């Protein structure tokens, strides 16, 4: 496989099969035809037509919308439409990200193709010699991408939490990075993608950070989400992301973005333009 | 003005007014309706319909296409359709960038909305204190964006030249950077955009490099394209790109991309996601 194929794998979705999810007159997500049919019986909450799925305009406030949707989702979860319920809500924001429209159980967000936000931290050990990167092995018990490779620290941004707040919290839980060290992480852009997955349409924005770690730092997982850590030379990271399916789909993008930003890929490499453009294809 | 407005300024074009430019069965560019009408008399070279402008399939090889198109363009230049003729050709490549389809006078490339490639180098002076960036002032005699601010080194990639080759050549001509120093420039990604300009539809891919310069390096222009250089603290660069119209349109994107990659903007800044996504909206 090539790096471009890794990037393209995160852009696979059949736009024809989806219709817009409209809230307050704005298209904020995309619903698959099959799931639209499953929403049809809940006509007091969702108006389903061939053209769109619309949240009932009668539900106007954030709290009212949140609880009406939640009641529907709990029913649909019984039928298997939402798997891996986590009891963790995401804020669902307007396309300009200036307003919170409602909150939704994280596991259901891809069913509506809604934008979700995460933070991913590249843990880097530089210094004199070869640059190395900390890689995490996800627990085999994770619902999504069990046993795949991951960044040192990565997590979804839960309702009410900021980006840096999430970074510091996840850094402590996932790798026992002290808050004072985690704060030194440097923002470095985003990757974004829309991708069909078993759980629905992922429409994710990942905030990226690079964190330089001292050579004597050793991560320790405290929340059971990562099973093991490896400190790999970049050459091994590159080979693994290109030649194997080991990295979780979106973590591969984060690695590739790091390689681009730090000059480990160059314009002479195959598909350079398509790779860099392809890292930013999600959002609105 | 905001940074997002700078980015959006490079995404302004009215897709409705354009039709595809088809070569060998592939859409490779976009032609405005007005220019399509001007091409109509040259029916042995261009087939103009409401749906598309097609290069005559009878012209099959690179050389044959190049000379047939060139003859038409020289006629159209007399009518003012191509201004600022430079006698410098660009390679026009297939959408996958694997084949050269033909060459075209640089000044005419935007008339066909064809992909063009450039290389832009951020000249950085780091060291102990505050990071500074070398900024060039374009000559008032330049055809495009006279007297605007520019990177230390920037230029279009002419037919037959590679990216690094162009970088080294332009670095020598524009800023008298010795080749051995220019080679240390580190690739850092691309910005891409489609933008309506007086010269047509720019559909550009800019290869970005960062070049760390010694504190005692002072650029000297040798080709008359830049009139002056400034070594500015990043704070002044940020204020200038955000609050003034001084930077050439695409050079502003290059500066903003640098700020994103190096953590001088953060997810808490306004429109962070839209800015980063907006830096990669061109190409195929």
């Amino acid at each position: 496989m090539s790096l471009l194929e890794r990037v393209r794998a995160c852009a696979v979705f059949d736009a024809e099969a989806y219709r817009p999810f409209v809230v307050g007159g704005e298209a904020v997500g995309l619903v698959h035809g099959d799931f639209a049919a499953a929403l049809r019986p809940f006509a007091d909450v969702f108006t389903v037509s061939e053209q769109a799925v619309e949240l009932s305009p009668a539900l106007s406030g954030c709290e009212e919308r949140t609880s009406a949707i939640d009641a529907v989702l709990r029913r649909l979860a019984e039928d298997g439409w939402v798997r891996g319920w986590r009891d963790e809500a995401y804020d669902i924001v307007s396309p300009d990200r200036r307003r919170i429209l409602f909150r939704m159980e994280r596991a259901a967000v891809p069913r509506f193709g809604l934008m979700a936000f995460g933070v991913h931290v590249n843990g880097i050990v530089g210094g004199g010699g070869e640059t190395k990167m900390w890689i995490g092995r996800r627990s085999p018990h994770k619902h999504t991408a069990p046993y795949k490779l991951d960044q040192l620290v990565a997590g979804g941004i839960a309702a009410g939490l900021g980006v840096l707040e999430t970074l510091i919290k996840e850094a402590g839980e996932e790798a026992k990075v002290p808050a004072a060290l985690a704060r030194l992480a440097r923002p470095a852009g985003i990757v974004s993608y829309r991708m069909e997955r078993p759980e629905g349409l992922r429409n994710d924005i990942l905030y990226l950070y690079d964190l330089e770690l001292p050579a004597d730092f050793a991560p320790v997982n405290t929340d059971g989400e990562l099973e093991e850590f490896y400190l790999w030379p970049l050459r091994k990271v590159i080979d693994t992301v290109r030649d194997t399916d080991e990295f979780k789909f979106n973590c591969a993008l984060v690695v590739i973005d790091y390689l681009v930003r730090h000059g480990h890929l160059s314009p002479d490499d195959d598909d350079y333009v398509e790779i860099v453009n392809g890292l930013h294809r999600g959002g609105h």
Side-chain angles (χ1 to χ4, degrees), chain A residues 152-164:
Chain A
L152 174 69
V153 171
I157 299 179
L161 286 187
V163 181
L164 190 58

Side-chain angles (χ1 to χ4, degrees), chain A residues 116-120 151 155-156 189-193 202 204-209 250-251 253-254:
Chain A
F117 299 85
V119 53
H120 284 236
Q151 271 73 53
I190 64 166
V191 296
S192 60
Y193 53 86
R202 300 281 299 250
D204 295 346
I205 309 283
L206 308 184
Y207 294 105
L208 309 180
Y209 286 77
N250 55 3
C251 300
L253 299 193
V254 175

Side-chain angles (χ1 to χ4, degrees), chain A residues 5 7 9 28 34 40 45-46 64 84 90 93 110 137 141 170 179 207 244 274 284:
Chain A
E5 287 171 294
V7 172
V28 298
D34 296 346
R40 214 176 261 280
V45 181
F46 298 103
E64 200 183 355
Y90 275 2
V93 295
R137 167 81 68 190
H141 310 296
E170 295 283 342
Y207 294 105
T244 80
E274 292 70 20
H284 282 279

